[in-house]
Amino acid sequence: MGAEGTTERVLRLLSLLQRRLSWTATELADELGVTDRSVRRDVERLRALGYPVHATAGVGGGYQLGAGTRLPPLLLDDEEAIATAVSLRLASGGTVAGAGEAALRALAKLDQVMPPRLRAEVRAVHGATDTLLGPGVEIDAELLVTLARACRDAVRVRFLYVAARGGVERERTVEPVRMVATSRRWYLMAYDVNRDDWRTFRLDRMRDVTATTWRFQPRQHPDPVAFVQRGVTEAPYRHLARVRLRARPEQVRELVPPQVGRVEEDRDGWCVLVSGGDNLDAIAVHVAWLGFEAEILEPPELRESAARLARRLAAMAAPVPPCASGAPGDG
């Protein structure tokens, strides 16, 4: 086989090693249509080019591509290339500080080497897609990396945190579990060491975040997504409303974002919407806007608010008396 064929085979080998965590020599030989000996030679060629290919002997052993000192070229198939390019275009308008510029740089590099047929498909998807983003809060990418490593390595994190009410800044020490992103904000679910309980923290209210060297034993914890959603929809508000709706849960979820309300299963074609707010009139209007038959479970004050709004709306809908329809000064 000539040099061109060998190069093509080595690139295919690199692609296979990137696709899966571990391969046996026999599996790689079958994929490449060569002998085990050729696989060993090609592995040595990759190592000579600076790719750290690890080999483990014995039962369960095989070849594995390790982490090197620099990012190797990623060999993507057609579907992976399209998915990556579309994701990078979306990331260019995200909520991570600096990620938009980095995504654009990466997209420019990918677009430069992408075959014309794939480039056309990516642009077709992008041309047919718009994104509707709310006024999200930008988060520093370094903060995300610090917290992600702390979650992975199970080390405590210390930071200054501005409380939602009163704006008081206090030092907190936590054992982080998971970050959760909504369409507008990032949150951290963590065990608060000082308060001896689970808490939700908004990343944009953190300052001077430091990952300590104190390792902790991970605790049994609630589901991070459900816990953060509960904290976001309930904790920050003066009032917490529970309303039964004659609708399927998926119908309500299409209208109510997860950061606005939580939808619970109920019986006989009903579900329960749990939502917080500082103004009962606003909650009543929002529930009425959903357009489903509704029963207010709590609080009782929400029923009073809904009754007041009903009287106002009835008065607005009443016909205008004939005497009131004339021009000012008539008569």
Side-chain angles (χ1 to χ4, degrees), residues 229-251:
Q229 186 187 20
R230 188 181 300 273
V232 169
T233 57
E234 298 177 15
Y237 301 107
R238 292 174 53 197
H239 307 288
L240 180 64
R242 292 176 56 86
V243 181
R244 289 186 76 223
L245 300 172
R246 187 186 288 276
R248 298 189 305 277
E250 57 269 22
Q251 290 178 286

Side-chain angles (χ1 to χ4, degrees), residues 53-76:
V53 182
H54 305 306
T56 305
V59 179
Y63 292 105
Q64 181 177 8
L65 184 64
T69 57
R70 58 182 298 177
L71 184 69
L74 297 178
L75 303 178
L76 307 175

Side-chain angles (χ1 to χ4, degrees), residues 36-203:
D36 290 6
R37 184 178 179 182
S38 293
V39 170
R40 289 193 293 271
R41 284 201 300 263
D42 289 344
V43 166
E44 289 303 321
R45 290 186 177 100
L46 285 177
R47 288 171 175 163
L49 293 172
Y51 295 98
V53 182
H54 305 306
T56 305
V59 179
Y63 292 105
Q64 181 177 8
L65 184 64
T69 57
R70 58 182 298 177
L71 184 69
L74 297 178
L75 303 178
L76 307 175
D77 61 27
D78 289 3
E79 291 182 355
E80 292 170 340
I82 293 172
T84 301
V86 171
S87 299
L88 287 170
R89 286 187 183 273
L90 293 176
S92 64
T95 58
V96 181
E101 183 180 348
L104 288 175
R105 290 200 307 269
L107 181 60
K109 293 178 181 178
L110 183 60
D111 190 71
Q112 182 179 359
V113 298
M114 187 177 290
R117 56 186 174 81
L118 297 185
R119 189 182 298 119
E121 290 191 34
V122 171
R123 289 176 178 169
V125 173
H126 182 64
T129 306
D130 283 319
T131 56
L132 182 61
L133 299 176
V137 178
E138 262 198 1
I139 300 299
D140 182 60
E142 187 175 343
L143 171 59
L144 291 178
V145 172
T146 298
L147 293 177
R149 287 174 177 166
C151 292
R152 179 197 64 192
D153 299 337
V155 296
R156 287 183 176 178
V157 174
R158 188 169 54 248
F159 54 87
L160 297 177
Y161 192 72
V162 179
R165 297 188 180 278
V168 179
E169 188 177 68
R170 291 190 175 90
E171 184 174 272
R172 312 292 281 268
T173 301
V174 305
E175 297 175 356
V177 172
R178 187 73 58 82
M179 287 184 290
V180 177
T182 71
S183 60
R184 297 180 62 245
R185 292 192 174 90
W186 287 78
Y187 298 87
L188 173 71
M189 174 185 162
Y191 188 83
D192 192 317
V193 175
N194 303 113
R195 289 158 177 76
D196 196 26
D197 201 2
W198 296 102
R199 289 288 190 273
T200 295
F201 301 94
R202 270 177 48 177
L203 268 62

